[in-house]
Structure formats: C-alpha cells, structure tokens
Amino acid sequence: MPLKSLTLVFLLFTTVAFSQLEASKWHFGNGAGLDFLQGCAMSFNGNAMNTIESSSSMCDSFGNLLFYTDGVTVYNASDGILANGEGLLGQFSSTNGALIVPEPGSTSRYYIFTADAVQNYQATGQGLGINYSIVDMNASGGQGAVVIKNINILNEGSEKLTAVRSQDGYWILTHYEDRFYAYPLTVSGVGSPVVTNIGPDVSDYNNIRGALKFSPDGSKVAICHTYFEPELMGEILLYSFDQNTGVLSNEQLLGDDIVYYGASFSPNSQVLYSTGKEPINGGQDTGNSKVFQYDLQAADIISSRIELADYLSSPFVNLAGLLQLAIDGKLYHSLGGAKLSVISLPNRVGQQCNFQFRAVGVGINSSSIGLPITNEMYYRNIIEYEELCGGDETSFTLNSSQSISSVLWNFGDPGSGSLNSSVDMTPIHIFSEVGTFTVTAQVTYTSGEAEVFSVIIKNVIAPLLAPATLFQCDVDGSPDGISQFNLLEALDVIFVQDVSDTSGLNLRFFETQLDAELSQNQIENATSYSNLYSGQIIYASVALTLDCTRITEVTLSVDAGDPLEDLEVSVCVSSQGENSAVVEVSNIIDVIALIYPDTLIRLYETPEFAGLQTNEKEGSILYDYTNPNILYYRLGEPDECIGIGKAVITLGEPLDLENQELVVCFTEEGTILEGPEGFMEYEWSTGETTKDLFITEAGVYTLDVTLFAGCSGSLYYEVVAGPQLQVEVNVNDFLQSNTITIDAYLAEGNIYYSIDGGSTFSTSNVFTDLPPGIYQIAVRDEVGCNYITREVEVRGAPKFFTPNSDGYNDTWHVINAQNYPGLTVEVFDRFGKQMTSLTSNSPGWDGTHNGKKLETNTYWYKITYEERTTYGFFTLITRGDL
C-alpha cells in the first residue's frame, strides 16, 4: 500500500480508537464505579444507583461522564436525575436491561434502549417489550434531558440486548422466543428489524434471562438461555452474524450442562468466555459458580472449553454474574461484593489468560451481578501488554487471527526519545516515567489491509518488598506445628518503606512461587489460613494495579509455647444495670498480671482470635449476668508466643438477679428448674445445694447463689402448671371425600393439629379429602406443655382398578374389607343396574358381569357397615385404555 494511503488509514483508525473513551467510566451495582481513563481500573464512589443487573453509562469522546441509567431512571454526571429522566420502561433486575449508543451523525444525542424483564410478566402476565428513549445533551439549557421517551419497537421481549457498529450506524440486537431481531440504527433513526428464526424456542417468560453479546468485530453472537422452569438449567449458543444484512446463521450449541448466564468475547473476538452455576437437587437449586473459556479458532470449539474458576457463591442467587470487557483490554466478572474478578489477558487461550479472583476493588460500595453494557466495538483490540511497574520492562504483543506482515508501534512516551517507536512484532519498552500513556500499533496485514489499534495504560511505582516472618501460637494444644494465620498481618512487615495507605493495594497469597507468578490458585481464606508445617513459606503478591505486581516470601513460624492453666479471675464491676455489668479490661489484665508479671497480656473472645491476634478486647466489656464470662488471654509480643489460656471471669459486685415466672409442663416424673450458670455455690429454699432443682408441683422456689465471697444474690421462680389438653378424634370415612375431625379442649391458648405425625401443623381441626389409610394424629398447644398423639384409620375403597391380570389393582373391594365383619357392598352401573355384591369375606370384583368382561366406565357403590350407609363411585379401566 502506498505510504500516503497508509497514513490516511492510520489517522482514520486513530479517530475510531479514541472513541472508546465513551466507555471509560462504569456506574453499576450499589453505588459502585470504575474509571478507566487513566489506563487502569480506578474505583470511585457517588453512583446514585442501586441496581442488581441493569446499567449503562456514556461519556463524551474525551472520557467526560455525560449520564448513566439503570433502565428506569437517567442520572446526570452530578448524580442528579436528568430532566424528564424518570419512568423509563426498563427494569433494574433485567440481565441486559439498559443499553446506550450514540445517535449516528450527532455529537449530542444518544439512544437508551431498555429490555423486558421476568418481573414485568410476573406482575401483569405480559411484558413491556423493547423500547427506546433519546437523550439530547443540548436540551435543558445544555444540562441534557430525555426528549423522547419509551418508544416501543417490540411488544414483548426478553432480558437480552447488545449492540455493535455497522457501516452506517449500529446494529441493536435482541431476542424473543425463537427469533433474533436486529434493528438498524442510522441517521434516519431505528429501522425495521431483520428477523432471523433460529435456535431454541424460549416461550416461557421465566426463561428469558441470560446474556446476549456481539463479538467486538461484529462477526459473532453468543447467547445464554438461563432456564428457571421446569428446572434450573441453561444453554450457551454461538452464531455467525452478517454485518451487511443483520442475519444470524451457523448455530452451534456450546453447552447445556449448567445454568449459563454471562457471556463475553475477547477483544480480538477469537475467544469466548461464559459463566454459570451448577444445578443441584434435581435442578431445584444451584451450587458453585464457574467461569469457562472457549477457543473459537479450535477445530472443535465445544471440546476446547476449559474451566477457569470454580468457587463457592451465594446459595440464594442462582445467577453466576455477568462478564464485560473494558477499554483496558481486560474482562471483568461481577458476582457481588466489594471486588470484581478479572481476566487480564483475555485474548490468550488457556490458563495464560490469567483469571484473578476478586482482584479489583469497587471502593466503599459494592457490585451485584450486573455490569454496564454498550457498543461492543469499543473494546475491539489485538494489543496485549504485561508488567507496568515503573522502571521495569513492559512487553507488548499482537494477538490476531489474521497474518501480520508489519507493525509500527508508538508508545506515547516522547521522553524515551528514539525508543518511543518500534517495528518489532513483540517489542519491549521501558517508560521514561510513571504516568498514563496511549500506546498505538499501526498494523499491516499480509492481505494488504491496514489498521490501527490503541490502548491507554498506566505506569506506576511498585512497592518495595522484603521477605518476612509471621509468628503464631500452636493454639490447638498439640505440638504439631500447625496453626491458623491471619495472612493480612503481612501488610505490617513486608514493606521496605512505610506505606501509610494500603487500601488501594491488592494483596494476595499463594502456596508456590509459580502460582504467584501465574496468579493462579490463590489462597482464599487469608484471614484464617492453616499452615502445612511450621516454617512453611508462602508467597505474597502485592499489586498497585493489575499490571504492576511484586512478590515476596512470607515464612509461617509456629511456636508450641508452654501450656497455660485455666484461670478463675474475680474482678469488680465499673457499673451495673438490672441484668448486666460493665467490666474494665485493664482490671482483668491486672489480676492475670499477678500470675504473669512483666509480660504483655492481651484478651480475646475466642482461642482462634487469640491465635490470629484479631478482635482484641480493649476498653470495657458489657457482661450479661446470665451467661458465663470466658475470655482467652495471650502472653507475649506479637512476634512471639509464650502461650494462650482460658480465663473465667467472675464479677465482684452484689448480684442483681432477675426473678422468673415460669409456665412448667409437668410430667409424671416431675420437671427440673435450671439455676443460672457460673456460680460457685447454690442453695434452694428446699435445702438442695445443686445448681438445678427437681420439682413435682407448682409453687414459689427461692435460689441463693454465690459467685465468690462477698458476691451473692437471690432470685425466685414462680412456677405455674401449664393447662391440660383434652382430645377426641372423629373419622367420617367410607366416603368419596373422607374427613378427620379433631375435637380438642384447652383452658387457654391456641391449639395446633396434625395428621402426619407432627411433620406439619394447622390451626384448623378439620382435614378433608383424605384417601384411605393410617393417619398419625398429633395435637399440641403453643407453649409445649401438651403433645398428644393418636393413630386412626380412614376406611374406604379405591377410586379405580385395572383387571388386566398384571398383579396390580386387578380387583376392586373396600380396602382391608376382611377387617370389617358384617360389611356389605353393592356395585351398580350408571343406569342403576347391579353389577355385583360383596361382603367382608368376598374376593374383590374382577370387572365382569354374567361372565362378560366390562369396558372402561364409571360405577357406583353402596357400602353398608355398622348401621351406616355411604355412597361413592370408582372407575374400571381396561387394558386398551391404560
């Protein structure tokens, strides 16, 4: 290609590349935000939204925030509501509920497309469909306003929306039932959709969840169908997309084994990622969350799937979180909480893509399961980079399916002089200073075509680290060298220089150096990690950004310490209320110091806290008189362990005990009054000196308790016998609809009834429509004094029989008829003609009359037993009608 033409292409694509700044700020979740304008994900706070899934944000071409939305409300850059910006027909719990794209040919107008939601169908039985509104930033005195609102383009729809650039605007893609709708958005507005009938028919509105994504180059489409009915399951499918016609083709089912939900392509469109949760309990619940990768260049895409992550997640959320590319070339995964997981090199196949679990913080707020969506072409890129620590070598590569003949790099670093450019395919550059740089690559393919890609990166100063040791007590009592460590204490010892603010650091731990270098198999329980042996070395990875990491060794040293005795510590209280007292921690330490002088003593609520040296007790403690007051004391400086022991705290002020009024359920053997825990001496008004008292009758009982000398008190128990329950069970059976009526009497309080042995109770004493069988009656009162059981039989006859000689239901008779002497049964057809008569000793009717087998029909019966006659009907079913 002539140089002049190449330069023109360079300028053209540089303009396109810089338009990605429109997606440089994310607003999502519960007030969460990320800013990518400086070349890395920087969290910020102040987002006015609280959304579960739906969100979209829009900046101008320089990265200045214009507005953002959850699909219902549109917020301006100051987090206020944009003029006329309320009441959009989206839903904050819709997978891809809001999508913002610029109006083609305009620099001030933007379309907001909103998707349907399951909740819309649940509320009214029908959806709100796919709609769009238009924001004009020149309206309302230049402050911006929604000037057109809720224009419907599809009457009913799904939770799926995605967009990509076209030759003259954008393709807006959605899905409903078994059809894709590709709407062209041009300077003329939203055109008629191109409809492609392809793929499964998702007709149940409960199953319209799941992501829909274009590849950044617009050639492919991935869709996740997240099925809630009839059970939890899902599918992920891949399609080809014709950017000229809007038609989808070449369907490939990539998986149907989990509850697929999120999907996203790599920046070079050659790799696909998805999320999902394992269906368990027959598809009624879900288990772990998973992240998968597919190699779209593989001969067998389905077999190329690898699992990047498998981790515990909330059992109350059946959705595995969305995936979204950002302009830094990284792929982010949200599953709720204060951090996002990230795939740093998503263009790379296999574990080299570098999945990092919960590696990017979102500030003081939190994410949910959604991330912002917009035009996917903003994220198209083939540039990859690694290591952005100041003074280190930063490596660059190109990852493209097309063969590249040459490349011209510009690192945006004029301070590096002649080293600011390179023609190497895989150059290495040392930036002249820390800061933000725009790196461009002017690529020429062997086909003769040329393209320019750019990426904004941030070079930072890496923290200086040194090897360190963490010391721990062997708290389990066995000298095995195994204990629990709070690895986050390494923050205090691994830095060479003082680091006053560690909130922006991403500190992670790994059991091997290789795992630390590859950022894999992260230790997840860092606050309570059990070492493998004393002296074990683990590796701390400290990152200021995802691309600037330092690693150092941390030795875990366990000291068995000396066995420490359990102590009874008597202390005075600072103040006391009716049931509690305030104890100063310093008073407790002073008493223990009499036994262990000249030693640092610290107090904790549990031995685990003492071992981990977390949640140390300081100041004063509010103690409840009715509970045992136990603390654990640790001896020694933070970097040593003399030992850990238990201290039972006794309070030295006169006790103010609460008298009790009890309703007691007396049994034939009597019952037990339980005295309060933790006292040295007990004396009841009956003379017993045990903690608990056995009684056989109601009355007033007094208990004197002594904590230690000079610390005693009294309380009384006013015992009232609980009311007695009387029960009678009546069965009305041999009916088409049998009934059990439980008549019970209680002087006061509610009564609860059960016919399944107490598995379920009802406030109603009448149970109807009961099939014949044995029922376990249970009746109880609300205070638990009475629990009465009975076993009753409901008698009756089968509702059908099948005389086909298969050994099952071949004859019809009253169930267990032989148990009812004197029983007679007469069977009639629907015209009143008697078919047979039976007694308690008769074999069942075989479905014949006068030696002839009868056809399928309904027959009536008359049962006479113990001066009672009942009627009903049943069905004879012949072989051909089974």
Side-chain angles (χ1 to χ4, degrees), residues 296-332:
L296 302 185
Q297 302 299 304
D300 185 348
I301 296 175
I302 298 175
S303 298
S304 75
R305 189 182 86 170
I306 65 169
E307 184 178 290
L308 299 176
D310 179 357
Y311 49 86
L312 291 173
S313 57
S314 170
F316 306 108
V317 179
N318 292 319
L319 304 175
L322 291 180
L323 295 163
Q324 182 59 52
L325 282 172
I327 63 171
D328 61 356
K330 296 173 172 53
L331 183 60
Y332 293 84

Side-chain angles (χ1 to χ4, degrees), residues 2-243:
L3 180 59
K4 182 177 181 180
S5 300
L6 184 62
T7 302
L8 179 60
V9 172
F10 178 87
L11 294 175
L12 172 62
F13 278 91
T14 297
T15 302
V16 172
F18 274 101
S19 69
Q20 67 182 338
L21 297 185
E22 293 168 336
S24 61
K25 290 182 175 63
W26 285 4
H27 291 70
F28 59 99
N30 180 19
L34 289 176
D35 188 344
F36 298 91
L37 191 60
Q38 299 303 313
C40 62
M42 305 292 291
S43 65
F44 63 86
N45 303 301
N47 171 2
M49 292 190 304
N50 186 2
T51 177
I52 297 176
E53 295 164 276
S54 175
S55 67
S56 189
S57 308
M58 181 56 60
C59 299
D60 62 20
S61 59
F62 298 101
N64 300 308
L65 179 66
L66 297 176
F67 61 93
Y68 58 95
T69 182
D70 57 5
V72 179
T73 305
V74 186
Y75 300 91
N76 59 31
S78 300
D79 303 312
I81 297 177
L82 205 68
N84 195 31
E86 297 180 281
L88 274 64
L89 295 182
Q91 225 282 348
F92 68 91
S93 184
S94 176
T95 308
N96 304 142
L99 169 67
I100 304 173
V101 293
E103 180 181 288
S106 172
T107 59
S108 63
R109 289 166 63 92
Y110 300 86
Y111 280 76
I112 301 176
F113 291 89
T114 56
D116 220 326
V118 170
Q119 289 80 358
N120 295 337
Y121 290 91
Q122 291 173 337
T124 65
Q126 63 184 22
L128 297 177
I130 308 299
N131 301 272
Y132 73 81
S133 302
I134 296 179
V135 171
D136 189 341
M137 293 306 298
N138 289 333
S140 189
Q143 299 300 309
V146 176
V147 294
I148 296 176
K149 186 185 293 185
N150 296 330
I151 304 301
N152 182 262
I153 58 175
L154 187 62
N155 288 336
E156 292 189 324
S158 67
E159 295 188 356
K160 306 175 192 295
L161 276 176
T162 187
V164 75
R165 289 281 301 184
S166 65
Q167 291 183 349
D168 51 1
Y170 298 90
W171 285 110
I172 311 299
L173 186 67
T174 189
H175 178 272
Y176 183 60
E177 294 184 339
D178 61 347
R179 300 176 296 280
F180 286 91
Y181 295 82
Y183 291 88
L185 176 61
T186 66
V187 293
S188 301
V190 179
S192 298
V194 177
V195 181
T196 305
N197 286 76
I198 194 171
D201 186 355
V202 185
S203 56
D204 189 328
Y205 68 76
N206 290 292
N207 301 329
I208 63 175
R209 302 173 176 91
L212 175 67
K213 278 292 179 71
F214 271 119
S215 62
D217 66 1
S219 66
K220 305 175 187 70
V221 170
I223 190 170
C224 293
H225 295 300
T226 306
Y227 299 138
F228 273 56
E229 295 293 342
E231 61 185 17
L232 285 163
M233 191 48 72
E235 293 180 302
I236 182 171
L237 300 103
L238 178 69
Y239 298 90
S240 297
F241 183 75
D242 189 324
Q243 293 176 269

